[in-house]
Amino acid sequence: YVYFPGKPRWARPIPMTLTYAFSPENLVGYLSLEDIRGAFKLAFARWASVIPVSFSETDTYSFADIKIGFYRGDHGDGEPFDGVLGVLAHAFSPESGKFHLDAAETWAVDLESEKSTVAIDLESVATHEIGHLLGLAHSPVKESVMYPSLKPRAKKADLKLDDIEAVQALYGSNPNFKFASSMESDISSNQ
Amino acid sequence: RPPPELAPSPATVVTVKNGSYTWHGFQRFLGARRGSRISGMAELKKYFNRFGYLGFQDGNVTDVFDTRLESAVAAYQAKLGLPVTGRLDSETLSQMMSPRCGMRDAMQPMHAAMH
């Protein structure tokens, strides 16, 4: 696993709660807010299960620690989106909290019902970007959530040992966390 | 009057031609190595620049596969757990054309500017 230079993290007393909110003006019309909220809730819960950090949704967008929105093209942060596929999303290192998704993608909350060949699993991307918001950079371990790429119609939202060790080194372990063999990753498959 | 349809409405099917994928054009660089000159290779250099592998010193981006691009390819392969060859083999190009996160791989973190 890899950290950002300077190893930034949210500098608050542990255990901490981070709030998140969705930009009301920057959503995608074909997904309901309930579906989007559900996918993010699952993604946040994955990280919260391994570290003593909890995530709470708030309606007060301007005061939220983590601000989530779907944007097209140049949206003012110097990192323009590029249309279908290519770059899917980006998030900023701590403690910025900015989380942007490319509105041009076909975001899916259920790959079985979404038949598009270019559908991108929202929960998988959300889980990856939350890793950035917490302070993790891209990992070279292919099975890890923090690996930088994700194929269309693929689901990769389960945290692997590489992700868990990385984030626990920053925030400590959730006292209720239990390691499961499914979290192991086979780094030999990288070659 | 016909009864209301109980079956779910058919899911929307969206098809996108391969050629419209953002980095699909990189396929033509398959097999390229140091010394190769292929039209459009400047776009490949911009990709490596965007994700933190290649700096542009003088702004003059050519279509030549030079030693700096070779180093960038090798760094990319090492960073993404691919066999390090310094060449644009099929595994490397397949990885490069995959959709991905916009965060740089080898980089300074993205900082939000405070206004």
Side-chain angles (χ1 to χ4, degrees), chain A residues 11-12 21 43 46 61 72 89 95 103 111 114 121 131 151 189:
Chain A
R12 298 182 187 182
R46 291 178 188 278
Y61 179 76
R72 281 179 195 276
E95 300 178 45
L111 289 169
E114 173 55 70
D121 183 57
K151 300 247 192 256
S189 69

Side-chain angles (χ1 to χ4, degrees), chain A residues 76-136:
Chain A
D77 62 6
E79 302 285 339
F81 285 130
D82 52 9
V84 179
L85 302 183
V87 167
L88 305 173
H90 56 229
F92 291 68
S93 55
E95 300 178 45
S96 162
K98 289 187 178 181
F99 184 149
H100 300 163
L101 301 109
D102 188 349
E105 309 299 346
T106 304
W107 295 104
V109 293
D110 177 7
L111 289 169
E112 285 190 15
S113 62
E114 173 55 70
K115 302 299 182 195
S116 167
T117 57
V118 290
I120 300 292
D121 183 57
L122 181 60
E123 184 189 344
S124 298
V125 173
T127 307
H128 175 96
E129 299 302 334
I130 293 166
H132 287 321
L133 294 169
L134 289 169
L136 308 190

Side-chain angles (χ1 to χ4, degrees), chain A residues 133-183:
Chain A
L133 294 169
L134 289 169
L136 308 190
H138 287 150
S139 169
V141 178
K142 278 186 180 169
E143 295 89 348
S144 73
V145 157
M146 293 315 295
Y147 196 73
S149 64
L150 180 74
K151 300 247 192 256
R153 305 201 62 77
K155 177 136 192 163
K156 191 164 75 172
D158 290 333
L159 298 183
K160 295 296 183 183
L161 185 59
D162 186 73
D163 307 303
I164 295 166
E165 285 182 342
V167 78
Q168 288 186 337
L170 284 180
Y171 298 94
S173 176
N174 184 316
N176 299 318
F177 169 70
K178 282 183 184 159
F179 179 76
S181 58
S182 61
M183 295 167 177

Side-chain angles (χ1 to χ4, degrees), chain B residues 46-62:
Chain B
K46 288 176 187 170
Y47 176 98
F48 282 116
N49 173 261
R50 174 167 189 173
F51 295 112
Y53 296 96
L54 183 64
F56 292 153
Q57 289 165 328
D58 54 9
N60 183 23
V61 187
T62 68

Side-chain angles (χ1 to χ4, degrees), chain A residues 2 4-5 79-80 82 84-93 96 98 113-118 128-129 132 137-140 142 147-152 190-191, chain B residues 10-16 20-23 50-51 77-84 91 94-95 97-105 107-113:
Chain A
V2 181
F4 297 117
E79 302 285 339
D82 52 9
V84 179
L85 302 183
V87 167
L88 305 173
H90 56 229
F92 291 68
S93 55
S96 162
K98 289 187 178 181
S113 62
E114 173 55 70
K115 302 299 182 195
S116 167
T117 57
V118 290
H128 175 96
E129 299 302 334
H132 287 321
H138 287 150
S139 169
K142 278 186 180 169
Y147 196 73
S149 64
L150 180 74
K151 300 247 192 256
N190 267 16
Q191 299 301 323
Chain B
T12 306
V13 177
V14 179
T15 55
V16 176
S20 64
Y21 291 8
T22 303
W23 298 308
R50 174 167 189 173
F51 295 112
Q77 290 167 331
K79 181 75 184 179
L80 274 80
L82 302 167
V84 179
E91 195 176 350
S94 170
Q95 186 60 55
M97 290 187 293
S98 295
R100 56 162 292 155
C101 170
M103 179 75 83
R104 291 162 191 77
D105 299 330
M107 50 31 188
Q108 296 297 310
M110 286 161 61
H111 288 297

Side-chain angles (χ1 to χ4, degrees), chain B residues 3 9 23 27 31 36 41 74 86 111:
Chain B
S9 57
W23 298 308
Q27 212 154 26
S36 304
M41 196 166 279
H111 288 297

